[in-house]
Amino acid sequence: MRRSAWTVVLLSVIVLAVVAGVAILAAQRLNRPHNIILFVADGLRSESVNPEDAPAIAALRAEGVDLRNSHSIYPTLTMVNASALATGHRIGDTGNFGNTLYAGQPALPFPVLSPVVSVEDDEALGLLNQRFKSDYLNEMSLLALAHAQGWATAAVGKLGPTALQDLGALDGKGGIIIDDATGYTSSGFKGAPLAPELKAAIQAAGLDWPARDRGLNGSPGAYNMPGVWVPNSYQQDWMIEVTTKVVLPRLAKSGKPFALVYWSRDPDATQHYQGDSLNSLTPGINGKTSKAAIRNASNNLQALRDWLKANHLEDTTDIVVVSDHGFSTISRQSQTSQARLTEYRDVMPGFLPPNFLAMDLARALDLPLHELNGLEVDVANRFYPRGGGALLGADAKAPQVVVAQNGGSDLIYVPSRDPALTRRIVEFLEGQDYTGGLFVDDRLGEMPGTLPLSAIDLTGAALTPRPTIVVGFRSFLIPGCERGPELCAAEVADTPLQQGQGMHGTFSRADTHNFMAAVGPDFKRGFKDAAPTSNADVAPTLAHIMGLTLPSKGNLKGRVIEEALRDGAPVGHRVGVRRSSPGVNGFTTVLNWQSAGANRYFDAAGMPGRIVGLNP
Ligand SMILES: [Zn+2]
């Protein structure tokens, strides 16, 4: 053969090899799972999203899958829903019954020596983990699983729910965690450890170190001083720049598929603290500062999408946008509470003080009232408990009743599980105008006027103590408000915040209707899903897309949202009502539910006439 012929053969072989190589690479690319971004806009009401106030979020919902029949998990609080989003399990399994919960005896040492702990804090999460078998949620999180399976992972955002996505990272055994506490190392305010090269990269990018605080967004005001007039942008500008300039470039360069959770503190932070509406229900959380906070979250999402586009990762990255819960405007009014009759130094005369429920109960049961740290509350001298709850009984080290304050709901624990005491509490609460709905631990037997905790999926494989009674507070429509029931809801809330500021946690549809939408290569386009979904469905759906199998201990698992996936089949769904027997004064707890497959979803629950969105 001539030399040139050899050259042709050789060249052909090379060309074939290159073609084969490209084909193999292309096949690998096809087989490689898509990247995942879970974007959580804390406290974003589904109905508050429109192209004017939230352009990026509204655009994503229109473009991809619109999950308009979505549900926050009750109690409608951040850490409750963060645990569901992280693990795909409902709360009877995760045991994260509130933002503030009773951890049992002995007292935990943080932030004060107390058996009740606020879990929106990395150190508190660490303590709970130590107490409950190194993983208090008792279920593996999607991000921890992804990290263990070789994905590049990170969670960035609000203190508490961010670290909850990957609790092992608190001990340096997980992916990247960046939150309010990043860079702080002293006991009392300490973040998850961060690799030194990440700290160096953040500084090299010209960004502040340690993490920024909330700046002007961080002060709630008082009864005689309005709260904030700016969104949480000072802090979130830092979060989003760290994400787009340092974290995402590293994840993308890792050579592995990546999973990012970004938890935007807004609009929650600003809707809680806004100063647009001091002591007035109007405009409540519909004023200009709350709208600026919705825009802040939307801008963060836009920045992530811009980065994906600039790096040619749009077509290989799925984005799910959710909120943990809805929101309502706070009412501090009651005609039945005895606690409202005292004049306190820092409460509007006639308004409910913080911890009014614990105060009313202590009086009705004739029990001494203690702060969570055990000090007795000097009620006669016009003091109310200052912490996130109270301990009732003669001995604060062995309280007869523990109240964990949680905004739109309170958790009541009777450590002895005494049915007679529990019944007295239930009957007292059935006579109060602020009580919206009542749920009682199944182990105490049927109590008239209440539904069992199992009816709302609060009984499962949880390691933490189960509340004896969960009280959801009353909600109502603000007179004169014309933006539809969900945006016009007010609720009684147990909180230090003022009337006219914002809260959530009740069983109204205003609080259970979170935002949910998705876009990306694995999702349908321009699809409106009528089937019910919840925050417990997000991790199973993402795990399915990622090709991962989430192990389970409990049975309260969410479902894969098949109908939203490309080529996914529709799912059958239906609605129903469950009613309790009548209690004192005819008090009844009614539950509106939906189902899809074996999964149940809860729209609203409580006494008819006292719950926004409840159909009796
Ligand atoms: Zn909140």
Side-chain angles (χ1 to χ4, degrees):
M1 213 184 281
R2 290 201 330 240
R3 204 174 144 184
S4 60
W6 278 112
T7 309
V8 168
V9 169
L10 193 61
L11 277 174
S12 305
V13 168
I14 289 169
V15 166
L16 279 174
V18 168
V19 167
V22 167
I24 288 166
L25 276 176
Q28 280 174 345
R29 233 184 129 77
L30 280 175
N31 285 331
R32 177 175 152 157
H34 296 128
N35 306 309
I36 297 292
I37 294 181
L38 173 60
F39 183 95
V40 185
D42 202 303
L44 181 69
R45 295 170 289 171
S46 179
E47 300 291 307
S48 72
V49 172
N50 58 59
E52 192 187 332
D53 297 328
I57 300 174
L60 184 145
R61 171 154 78 180
E63 198 181 315
V65 180
D66 177 350
L67 299 152
R68 199 70 73 111
N69 189 5
S70 55
H71 294 77
S72 172
I73 304 280
Y74 180 79
T76 48
L77 301 156
T78 289
M79 295 302 277
V80 174
N81 282 277
S83 76
L85 286 165
T87 66
H89 282 256
R90 295 191 283 280
I91 308 313
D93 283 347
T94 69
N96 207 130
F97 296 102
N99 280 351
T100 302
L101 50 85
Y102 175 60
Q105 300 288 359
L108 287 168
F110 181 86
V112 293
L113 189 68
S114 165
V116 172
V117 61
S118 166
V119 293
E120 273 187 340
D121 180 281
D122 293 350
E123 277 182 272
L125 291 173
L127 286 174
L128 281 180
N129 261 0
Q130 283 170 26
R131 173 159 292 187
F132 299 103
K133 299 184 182 172
S134 316
D135 178 11
Y136 85 95
L137 296 179
N138 202 28
E139 297 288 356
M140 183 171 255
S141 75
L142 178 66
L143 217 56
L145 175 68
H147 181 77
Q149 299 282 321
W151 284 57
T153 68
V156 181
K158 175 177 172 174
L159 184 67
T162 298
L164 197 69
Q165 305 305 312
D166 187 3
L167 283 171
L170 291 172
D171 303 321
K173 288 178 274 184
I176 299 166
I177 298 287
I178 293 174
D179 60 21
D180 306 44
T182 293
Y184 290 91
T185 52
S186 63
S187 181
F189 195 58
K190 186 161 62 176
L194 200 66
E197 64 265 26
L198 269 167
K199 175 188 172 183
I202 290 171
Q203 290 174 313
L207 302 171
D208 292 351
W209 184 267
R212 279 190 182 174
D213 63 20
R214 290 169 60 182
L216 290 175
N217 184 256
S219 172
Y223 79 103
N224 55 357
M225 184 178 79
V228 303
W229 285 309
V230 293
N232 189 39
S233 42
Y234 171 73
Q235 183 180 61
Q236 288 183 216
D237 286 351
W238 183 84
M239 295 283 182
I240 201 70
E241 289 201 41
V242 166
T243 305
T244 55
K245 291 182 177 167
V246 178
V247 175
L248 276 173
R250 278 165 178 258
L251 297 185
K253 258 189 231 145
S254 67
K256 307 167 182 174
F258 68 78
L260 168 75
V261 177
Y262 185 89
W263 201 290
S264 166
R265 189 185 275 273
D266 258 343
D268 178 274
T270 305
Q271 287 171 172
H272 277 304
Y273 280 13
Q274 48 74 25
D276 295 341
S277 197
L278 181 62
N279 294 323
S280 164
L281 296 179
T282 308
I285 56 168
N286 295 318
K288 64 179 188 337
T289 312
S290 297
K291 285 188 179 186
I294 293 169
R295 171 69 79 127
N296 185 29
S298 183
N299 289 347
N300 280 189
L301 175 64
Q302 188 64 54
L304 295 182
R305 296 200 78 184
D306 288 347
W307 185 90
L308 289 175
K309 191 172 185 186
N311 289 277
H312 312 291
L313 290 166
E314 264 189 322
D315 298 338
T316 51
T317 303
D318 289 304
I319 308 176
V320 175
V321 179
V322 298
S323 60
D324 44 356
H325 50 71
F327 237 92
S328 301
T329 297
I330 296 168
S331 162
R332 303 212 58 96
Q333 288 171 276
S334 160
Q335 299 304 313
T336 58
S337 169
Q338 291 295 307
R340 87 188 193 285
L341 298 176
T342 301
E343 280 201 19
Y344 308 91
R345 287 159 184 79
D346 56 356
V347 175
M348 281 289 285
F351 277 16
L352 292 167
N355 287 311
F356 63 88
L357 181 123
M359 296 189 80
D360 283 353
L361 268 186
R363 186 187 168 100
L365 300 170
D366 196 21
L367 291 174
L369 184 65
H370 300 271
E371 298 277 5
L372 294 178
N373 63 8
L375 291 173
E376 189 157 353
V377 179
D378 190 354
V379 179
N381 269 312
R382 301 189 286 135
F383 283 95
Y384 57 81
R386 297 273 149 180
L391 311 172
L392 282 63
D395 180 3
K397 288 201 172 70
Q400 284 176 264
V401 181
V402 176
V403 179
Q405 179 197 76
N406 274 288
S409 288
D410 273 357
L411 310 178
I412 300 173
Y413 300 81
V414 178
S416 66
R417 275 190 239 152
D418 174 359
L421 177 58
T422 304
R423 188 175 290 263
R424 281 180 71 197
I425 297 171
V426 163
E427 289 177 355
F428 170 77
L429 291 173
E430 288 176 347
Q432 298 300 311
D433 64 0
Y434 50 73
T435 305
L438 288 167
F439 306 89
V440 177
D441 187 351
D442 302 53
R443 293 175 294 200
L444 282 97
E446 211 222 308
M447 301 250 172
T450 76
L451 288 174
L453 291 183
S454 61
I456 52 172
D457 288 344
L458 290 183
T459 56
L463 296 179
T464 60
R466 187 190 298 171
T468 313
I469 304 169
V470 179
V471 191
F473 293 119
R474 176 176 83 101
S475 54
F476 59 94
L477 294 178
I478 298 169
C481 179
E482 289 174 351
R483 298 192 59 194
E486 288 182 19
L487 298 186
C488 291
E491 70 189 34
V492 174
D494 193 354
T495 165
L497 296 173
Q498 310 302 322
Q499 174 153 313
Q501 293 187 307
M503 195 27 95
H504 47 89
T506 73
F507 226 140
S508 79
R509 191 63 180 131
D511 285 0
T512 66
H513 197 188
N514 63 330
F515 179 88
M516 201 179 280
V519 76
D522 289 295
F523 289 100
K524 287 178 177 158
R525 296 184 68 81
F527 176 67
K528 289 190 194 326
D529 192 354
T533 57
S534 86
N535 282 337
D537 299 337
V538 173
T541 303
L542 290 176
H544 176 81
I545 288 172
M546 295 159 83
L548 300 176
T549 306
L550 267 169
S552 275
K553 291 178 185 156
N555 296 319
L556 298 172
K557 275 197 307 195
R559 69 182 177 98
V560 176
I561 310 172
E562 296 266 6
E563 71 279 11
L565 300 177
R566 192 156 277 194
D567 306 322
V571 63
H573 50 101
R574 60 199 188 98
V575 300
V577 182
R578 179 167 175 181
R579 293 180 182 83
S580 74
S581 59
V584 172
N585 300 332
F587 187 93
T588 311
T589 298
V590 176
L591 173 65
N592 288 162
W593 57 264
Q594 301 186 51
S595 68
N599 279 255
R600 289 187 301 172
Y601 301 87
F602 307 120
D603 294 341
M607 172 78 178
R610 291 191 189 176
I611 305 292
V612 169
L614 181 71
N615 298 312

